[in-house]
């Protein structure tokens, strides 16, 4: 087994600033972690390390930065990062920003789990989302949103109990009392798929809606067989 080395360089200012160069078994994958806080406790070893940052805690890796009331780093080569209280972060690679009450990030799988009044912003696509729980996979560029889901983009105002946002494909899947409003148009269904690029909508299950065709004419969107909850309706934008 190859030895894992952790080197520390500590300087003091209006708080505490630490710089850790985490050297993996392959030196080509070395990553610098910078963090600061009012106080720090912890221990380090070749097998596992633990560091707790309290008060104005801040951490920055090559892919993201996080500020919170408290941050914990743990595991071999500081694999797991946990943040608590007034969490505010940015992901430089995906250009996503977020706020929440609690966050856990796995530096190996690159999966972040955010909970408690979560707000997520996709700066590239002007998408803003909120939920009680959001899990974001940085490699697949997919976010899973749960409980009290709200998402806005352009003229779209979307609500659901559960949603999957595929950032790369610009696809949004809503389920559980799903609703999409586009200006004066409203679409409701058990499941809704929305293409955020083309604005095309596919509705499935207990489909309902109101579409304004002209200033004086209103068209209702409902399944032909109201008793068939698997009925699907596709609405394409001109």
């Amino acid at each position: 087994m190859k030895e894992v080395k952790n080197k520390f360089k500590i300087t003091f200012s209006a708080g505490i600033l630490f710089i850790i160069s985490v050297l993996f078994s392959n030196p080509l994958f070395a990553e610098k972690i910078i963090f600061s806080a009012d106080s720090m406790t912890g221990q380090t070893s070749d097998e596992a390390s633990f560091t707790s940052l309290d008060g104005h805690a801040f951490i920055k890796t090559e892919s993201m930065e996080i500020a919170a009331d408290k941050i914990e780093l743990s595991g071999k080569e500081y694999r797991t990062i946990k943040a608590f209280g007034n969490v505010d972060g940015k992901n430089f690679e995906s250009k996503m920003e977020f706020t929440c009450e609690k966050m856990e990030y796995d530096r190996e799988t690159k999966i972040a789990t955010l909970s408690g009044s979560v707000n997520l912003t996709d700066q590239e696509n002007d998408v803003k989302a909120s939920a009680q729980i959001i899990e974001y996979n940085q490699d697949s560029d997919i976010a899973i949103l749960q409980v009290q889901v709200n998402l806005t983009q352009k003229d779209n105002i979307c609500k659901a109990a559960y949603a999957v946002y595929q950032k790369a494909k610009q696809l949004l899947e809503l389920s559980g009392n799903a609703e999409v409003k586009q200006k004066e148009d409203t679409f409701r269904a058990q499941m809704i798929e929305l293409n955020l690029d083309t604005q095309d909508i596919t509705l499935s299950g207990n489909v309902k809606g109101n579409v304004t065709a002209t200033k004086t004419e209103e068209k209702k969107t409902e399944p032909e067989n109201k008793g068939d909850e698997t009925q699907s309706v596709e609405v394409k934008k001109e």
Side-chain angles (χ1 to χ4, degrees), residues 50-185:
F50 176 82
T51 298
S52 178
L53 308 170
D54 290 283
H56 302 96
F58 174 82
I59 181 170
K60 184 175 182 179
T61 69
E62 293 177 358
S63 61
M64 69 164 53
E65 66 178 28
I66 306 162
D69 295 338
K70 181 178 181 178
I71 297 177
E72 294 178 352
L73 300 90
S74 61
K76 188 176 181 180
E77 297 165 345
Y78 291 109
R79 173 175 174 172
T80 303
I81 299 173
K82 296 181 180 180
F84 308 88
N86 299 306
V87 182
D88 191 336
K90 297 179 181 179
N91 189 304
F92 306 124
E93 294 181 2
S94 61
K95 296 183 180 178
M96 302 276 254
E97 296 184 354
F98 58 87
T99 61
C100 59
E101 287 303 311
K102 181 180 178 181
M103 187 210 79
E104 181 171 341
Y105 178 64
D106 188 318
R107 293 176 54 245
E108 185 172 311
T109 64
K110 293 188 177 182
I111 294 176
T113 302
L114 318 173
S115 59
S117 301
V118 185
N119 290 282
L120 182 69
T121 301
D122 177 357
Q123 294 178 303
E124 280 188 316
N125 300 289
D126 193 27
V127 173
K128 297 180 180 180
S130 65
Q132 289 304 308
I133 302 172
I134 296 180
E135 180 183 284
Y136 176 66
N137 187 315
Q138 187 174 322
D139 285 338
S140 65
D141 244 358
I142 294 177
I144 298 174
L145 300 84
Q146 303 178 63
V147 187
Q148 299 176 5
V149 177
N150 290 273
L151 184 145
T152 60
Q153 181 254 8
K154 295 182 179 177
D155 294 326
N156 297 301
I157 301 175
C158 310
K159 296 181 180 180
Y162 181 91
V164 177
Y165 172 51
Q166 300 183 54
K167 181 179 185 293
K169 296 182 179 179
Q170 280 300 280
L171 288 176
L172 177 65
E173 300 172 5
L174 304 164
S175 59
N177 297 316
E179 177 183 281
V180 175
K181 291 185 177 180
Q182 295 179 329
K183 294 184 178 180
E184 298 179 2
D185 299 340

Side-chain angles (χ1 to χ4, degrees), residues 14-18 35-40 52-58:
I16 306 176
L17 171 66
F18 300 88
F35 58 85
S36 63
D38 293 339
S39 63
M40 183 201 86
S52 178
L53 308 170
D54 290 283
H56 302 96
F58 174 82

